[in-house]
Amino acid sequence: MSDDYTPPKVWTPGAANGGQFASINKPTAGAQYDRDLPVGQHPLQLYSLATPNGQKVTILLEELLEAGHDAEYDAWLIKIGDGDQFGSGFVDVNPNSKIPALMDHSVSPPQRVFESGSILLYLAEKYGAFLPSDPAGRTEALNWLFWQMGAGPYLGGGFGHFYAYAPVKIEYAIDRFTMEVKRQLDLLDKRLAKTRFIAGDDYTIADIAIWPWYGRLITGGAYGDAATFLDAERYRNLHRWQAEIAARPAVQRGIMVNNVSGDPAKQLHERHDAADFQTRTQDKLEG
C-alpha cells in the first residue's frame, strides 16, 4: 500500500482488502453456509452482538421491561468475527448479514426486523413507549434517530476505521473523518446546551440510538485514545447527557447483553431471563 495508489479500471478484491476485517468482508451478499437459528421461549428473539448498534436494541428492550411492558426476550450471541452472520438462518432474518436482527413471534406470520434504527422504531411503536405521541415530538425524535443512522458510518467506518484499524495511517483519510466527527460532536453538544435529552425534555429512542456511539466515544471507550485525539473533554453538555444516561439501570443491563469483551463481570453472552444478570449465562458457554 502507498499514498500514490492509482485505482485500476475494474476493481477486484485482494487479500489485504478490509485490513483487520478482511476475513469477514466480501463483495457479495447471501448465505455462505446452512445453519438454523435457535429460538427461545419468548415472542421476541434477538440475534446480536454488543457493538454500539447491538446495544441500541438491548438497551431499549431493558428500558421497556423497566417501564413495565411485556417485552421479555431471548438474546442470542452472533459472533461476527466467526462469520455467524453468514449462516442461512441469520440471512433469512437479515439479508444484509449485519447485527442486530430481530424476529417477533407474537404476530402471524412472524415478523423479521433488521437495521438497528428500524428495530428501535418497531419496538417503540409496538409498545407505545420512548417515542412521543404528538406529531411534533415524534418528528423531532425521528429526525435525530435518522440523523444517527446517517452520521454513524462517518464515525465508525470512516474515523474509527482509518484512525484505529486501517493497516496504514493515511493522513488525508484521518483528517477528513476527524473533521466530520468533531462537527458531529459540536452539533450534539450545542443541541444538548438547549435540551435535557436529544429530542427535548423526554428520553426517547433518539437518545438510545446515539448514546452507544457517541457516549462511548467521548468517555474513552472506542478506538483506543480517540477521546484524547478528538479533545472530547471540551464537549461539556454531551458529557452531562452521557453520564445521566449511563446511570440508568436499564442501560447498565442493556450494554451487558451479548457482550463478550472486556470485564467478565460486565458481560452476558446470552440473555433469556432477567435472572441471567445474576447467574451469568456466559458461564454456561465457556469451557
Side-chain angles (χ1 to χ4, degrees), residues 43-78:
L44 297 176
Q45 298 292 303
L46 178 67
Y47 305 96
S48 193
L49 180 70
T51 66
N53 284 334
Q55 289 176 340
K56 296 175 190 176
V57 179
T58 49
I59 287 171
L60 177 55
L61 287 166
E62 291 298 326
E63 290 282 13
L64 289 167
L65 291 168
E66 184 88 3
H69 295 280
D70 184 14
E72 272 293 347
Y73 67 102
D74 292 277
W76 302 93
L77 179 63
I78 299 297

Side-chain angles (χ1 to χ4, degrees), residues 46-271:
L46 178 67
Y47 305 96
S48 193
L49 180 70
T51 66
N53 284 334
Q55 289 176 340
K56 296 175 190 176
V57 179
T58 49
I59 287 171
L60 177 55
L61 287 166
E62 291 298 326
E63 290 282 13
L64 289 167
L65 291 168
E66 184 88 3
H69 295 280
D70 184 14
E72 272 293 347
Y73 67 102
D74 292 277
W76 302 93
L77 179 63
I78 299 297
K79 297 181 179 179
I80 60 176
D82 294 347
D84 290 352
Q85 70 274 32
F86 300 116
S88 57
F90 189 89
V91 173
D92 284 344
V93 182
N94 185 356
N96 194 38
S97 294
K98 303 289 184 181
I99 61 93
L102 179 76
M103 286 296 298
D104 183 358
H105 293 271
S106 72
V107 297
S108 182
Q111 178 66 55
R112 73 178 186 183
V113 196
F114 60 90
E115 291 297 323
S116 59
S118 179
I119 297 173
L120 293 184
L121 181 56
Y122 178 85
L123 292 173
E125 291 184 330
K126 180 180 179 72
Y127 293 100
F130 302 105
L131 182 63
S133 57
D134 65 290
R138 173 187 169 87
T139 299
E140 187 66 10
L142 293 182
N143 287 341
W144 288 101
L145 171 65
F146 288 107
W147 173 85
Q148 190 281 316
M149 298 300 293
Y154 289 95
L155 171 54
F159 172 78
H161 180 79
F162 286 105
Y163 178 76
Y165 301 132
V168 294
K169 301 299 183 186
I170 303 172
E171 182 178 5
Y172 174 81
I174 293 173
D175 284 350
R176 166 69 179 87
F177 290 110
T178 299
M179 182 78 72
E180 172 59 15
V181 169
K182 285 186 70 66
R183 189 194 66 81
Q184 294 175 6
L185 293 173
D186 189 54
L187 170 68
L188 293 172
D189 195 63
K190 287 176 176 173
R191 172 64 178 171
L192 290 165
K194 300 176 183 178
T195 60
R196 179 181 177 187
F197 295 109
I198 291 292
D201 294 333
D202 296 325
Y203 175 67
T204 71
I205 55 173
D207 300 283
I208 293 171
I210 294 169
W211 184 86
W213 281 100
Y214 295 88
R216 179 169 169 252
L217 177 70
I218 65 171
T219 52
Y223 313 127
D225 200 29
T228 300
F229 181 73
L230 294 167
D231 191 19
E233 281 297 319
R234 69 182 298 170
Y235 305 107
R236 301 296 185 184
N237 302 303
L238 195 52
H239 276 276
R240 183 268 306 162
W241 167 85
Q242 186 280 331
E244 181 173 356
I245 294 177
R248 297 176 69 92
V251 172
Q252 294 171 8
R253 293 194 303 274
I255 62 176
M256 294 173 62
V257 178
N258 298 142
N259 197 330
V260 295
S261 61
D263 184 353
K266 298 179 180 179
Q267 63 186 41
L268 189 69
H269 288 187
E270 291 183 1
R271 190 263 190 221

